[in-house]
Amino acid sequence: MTKKTRLGTLARRLAAPGAALALAASGTAALATNAPASDLADYHRQQVRWADCRQGPDDEPGTGLDRAGARCAQVTVPLDYSRPKGPTIKIAVSRLPATDPARRIGTIVLNHGGPGEPTLGMPLETRAHLGKAGARYDLIGLDPRFVGRSTPLDCGWPAGLWIRSAGSDRAGFDRQIAFQKDLAERCERRHGDVLPHVNTRNTARDMDIVRTVLGERRISYLGYSYGAYLGAVYAQMFPGRTDRMVLDSAGDPRRWGPRPLVGTEPPSERALRAWASWTAARHHDYGLGRTPRAVLATVDRIVQASSTRPLRVGSYTVDEHVIPYLVYGGVGSDQDQARAGFASTMRVLDEATSGATVTPNPELEGVLRFTLDGATSHLVSPAAAIMCGDGAAPRDPEVYWNDIQDSRTRHPLFGPITHNIAPCAFWPEPPREQPARIANRAAALIVSATGDTATTYRGARALHRQMTGSRLLTLRGAIAHGIYGAYGNDCVDLKVNAYLESGTLPTKGLTCRKP
């Protein structure tokens, strides 16, 4: 999820399958079935026009795709698969053709995760990761429905990311109820007619229409985080139509839903302690404490200060609802650059506790813009819509408050984040179908780090058990989310590439280690 800055990592943290589905009896919809193939025949036979990808002078992904020789198209799909003769939407697709067509393996469809991250430009970076196998694949970037160029959805939120801490008391939680309710109502006003059709199962159906338009009997697949979940759902819904699948930073599909962060508290706490040790060893650089305990005390002091009075950071006011999430989002990588950026962020916030207005460092500026600025609404509202469309959330705020209070005793910093109320509690209608139950023998290589704070290693092992034809590639000793081609572990990259080139899974699970 992308893998360039914490903004991309934060987006992937939205996809952590960490909550049991809360399908209330009143909100459980009947499981919709795929439309008969005959009803979709016109979609399968459609002729698309491949053209330049660049849409304007500032379109960097499109410019890069054109330079690399890719072409782009719009594929027509039904808005509602139960009414294939009804309204339609457009799905944006890019294709970077194999450069060694004589040894071409096939087509590989890509997904960054999120949910809700645009994927159209992903073929560019992926080809660089694939090594010798890269020349043998057509690489397909596909913006999921209502994301990026695929009939985009923007709820017009006044803030960006909706994830917040519930705060320290009931008054703070009540503020969150009002905040999250407002976000849901804005989505309903703008997009109430399409929200029922925003879900993972429909995205998988769109993928299968793209497969037929590309003329492929089977497709290979590479997906990260939520993208791994999407790949598992596709393999379940369309058996026999996948070839080689890499599911990176996957979680437990049974726990995917509108409360996606529940269950991530323990690995996040371990990651925070590991960062505190790293930072204490660099006290001369950051001044946050000479011991891990002292660094953690500094973090606690910043959190407590924000509950007394919001901190002024540049043009932003950062309160007790945001500060804990900055910590939660900041500890998800053990790479030195990420840890240094987060340490710099905490140094700025520590200075802000004096009451002065401080200037954010570039790392903090980017995260605050993503979290608090309404200009990012188009990036995050599709993610909320997908989550809310995939599983019914509890509607009673007291359910969340009781869960927060219970979790607070065990996880005082992270529990009020992971259990907090969200827009899904006020979504205009419950999901129209249940999520796919994953139980298949599809071949797949599942990649997971033991210290993943977003889609936990426990969740990856659960997916491995549900996909009995899969193998698990474990990266031990690493805190990472989004590993292949992103984390910089040669062992992982070589093993994934060997599978994508040969098509042969290992006979048993594989292990790599952080150097």
Side-chain angles (χ1 to χ4, degrees):
M1 286 175 261
T2 59
K3 299 167 278 287
K4 300 183 278 292
T5 65
R6 287 300 302 159
L7 186 152
T9 304
L10 285 170
R12 275 190 296 282
R13 286 181 70 92
L14 308 185
L21 290 175
L23 288 173
S26 61
T28 304
L31 182 63
T33 58
N34 292 337
S38 58
D39 290 346
L40 297 175
D42 289 343
Y43 295 100
H44 293 159
R45 289 194 297 259
Q46 67 182 290
Q47 298 295 312
V48 301
R49 186 176 70 87
W50 295 95
D52 291 345
C53 298
R54 184 171 180 261
Q55 292 191 333
D58 298 326
D59 181 6
E60 292 185 14
T63 300
L65 286 166
D66 287 345
R67 272 198 204 114
R71 303 291 279 170
C72 289
Q74 293 277 334
V75 176
T76 302
V77 299
L79 170 65
D80 180 352
Y81 275 86
S82 69
R83 296 176 55 232
K85 303 298 185 183
T88 62
I89 58 174
K90 298 286 188 180
I91 302 299
V93 178
S94 65
R95 178 170 61 184
L96 185 61
T99 56
D100 186 0
R103 301 173 63 236
R104 181 180 178 274
I105 294 171
T107 289
I108 185 166
V109 175
L110 312 172
N111 187 275
H112 261 316
E117 281 201 58
T119 297
L120 202 72
M122 191 173 167
L124 297 176
E125 63 192 73
T126 303
R127 176 151 288 173
H129 306 331
L130 285 168
K132 292 185 294 183
R136 302 178 60 191
Y137 281 100
D138 291 348
L139 304 182
I140 305 299
L142 186 157
D143 282 351
R145 55 171 49 203
F146 306 113
V147 172
R149 297 186 188 178
S150 294
T151 317
L153 179 151
D154 181 359
C155 293
W157 286 350
L161 190 64
W162 71 91
I163 299 176
R164 301 284 192 274
S165 173
S168 57
D169 56 21
R170 180 66 195 219
F173 178 66
D174 288 342
R175 287 193 296 272
Q176 280 299 294
I177 293 175
F179 172 72
Q180 304 290 354
K181 187 172 188 289
D182 175 65
L183 298 184
E185 290 173 347
R186 288 172 184 265
C187 266
E188 181 178 14
R189 285 196 296 270
R190 282 200 174 201
H191 300 292
D193 57 334
V194 301
L195 290 180
H197 311 295
V198 188
N199 60 53
T200 299
R201 290 177 67 93
N202 279 340
T203 298
R205 293 172 178 125
D206 296 343
M207 282 174 52
D208 202 56
I209 287 179
V210 170
R211 175 192 63 80
T212 62
V213 168
L214 294 172
E216 299 289 348
R217 186 173 64 87
R218 296 193 300 168
I219 54 173
S220 294
Y221 183 83
L222 166 62
Y224 294 85
S225 191
Y226 166 80
Y229 173 69
L230 172 61
V233 170
Y234 180 82
Q236 183 67 37
M237 292 178 64
F238 299 100
R241 299 182 191 177
T242 59
D243 184 11
R244 303 163 201 200
M245 301 186 72
V246 177
L247 308 179
D248 190 301
S249 302
D252 185 348
R254 296 169 303 183
R255 300 175 68 85
W256 166 250
R259 305 182 73 183
L261 302 180
V262 175
T264 63
E265 305 91 355
S268 294
E269 290 167 344
R270 291 191 292 269
L272 176 59
R273 292 193 294 269
W275 169 82
S277 296
W278 183 94
T279 304
R282 294 158 179 81
H283 177 72
H284 63 284
D285 292 324
Y286 304 108
L288 296 175
R290 297 182 183 279
T291 66
R293 172 179 275 183
V295 173
L296 293 174
T298 299
V299 172
D300 287 341
R301 184 174 66 251
I302 294 168
V303 172
Q304 292 303 317
S306 71
S307 68
T308 302
R309 179 185 64 243
L311 309 183
R312 293 292 302 172
V313 181
S315 61
Y316 299 100
T317 299
V318 191
D319 61 15
E320 66 172 343
H321 302 295
V322 175
I323 292 287
Y325 183 72
L326 297 182
V327 178
Y328 181 80
V331 299
S333 172
D334 61 11
Q335 293 186 309
D336 284 349
Q337 183 178 2
R339 282 179 163 171
F342 180 53
S344 297
T345 285
M346 297 311 291
R347 181 174 182 173
V348 171
L349 295 176
D350 192 27
E351 294 170 358
T353 61
S354 68
T357 299
V358 298
T359 302
N361 62 313
E363 175 85 5
L364 181 55
E365 174 73 31
V367 173
L368 291 178
R369 185 184 307 114
F370 181 63
T371 306
L372 301 175
D373 194 330
T376 64
S377 171
H378 68 289
L379 298 173
V380 296
S381 42
I386 293 167
M387 288 183 188
C388 300
D390 272 351
R395 310 291 285 192
D396 184 359
E398 297 309 309
V399 171
Y400 300 88
W401 177 244
N402 292 335
D403 289 347
I404 289 163
Q405 294 299 86
D406 180 61
S407 181
R408 197 192 301 272
T409 60
R410 291 170 286 116
H411 310 291
L413 178 57
F414 296 137
I417 301 168
T418 59
H419 291 80
N420 194 22
I421 199 164
C424 297
F426 308 102
W427 218 238
E429 65 174 79
R432 294 194 175 180
E433 55 184 318
Q434 296 175 1
R437 178 178 174 271
I438 307 302
N440 61 59
R441 295 185 54 81
L445 185 62
I446 299 170
V447 184
S448 180
T450 54
D452 194 331
T453 61
T455 46
T456 65
Y457 183 61
R458 174 182 290 185
R461 288 187 296 170
L463 176 62
H464 172 46
R465 291 191 295 269
Q466 294 162 45
M467 298 182 70
T468 57
S470 69
R471 298 292 182 270
L472 181 59
L473 171 52
T474 300
L475 177 57
R476 295 203 174 276
I479 300 170
H481 184 67
I483 303 165
Y484 168 66
Y487 185 71
N489 186 277
D490 289 343
C491 174
V492 168
D493 292 351
L494 289 171
K495 291 184 186 304
V496 171
N497 286 344
Y499 164 59
L500 289 174
E501 191 166 11
S502 70
T504 302
L505 283 169
T507 56
K508 59 182 181 179
L510 301 171
T511 299
C512 294
R513 298 184 183 277
K514 180 183 175 182

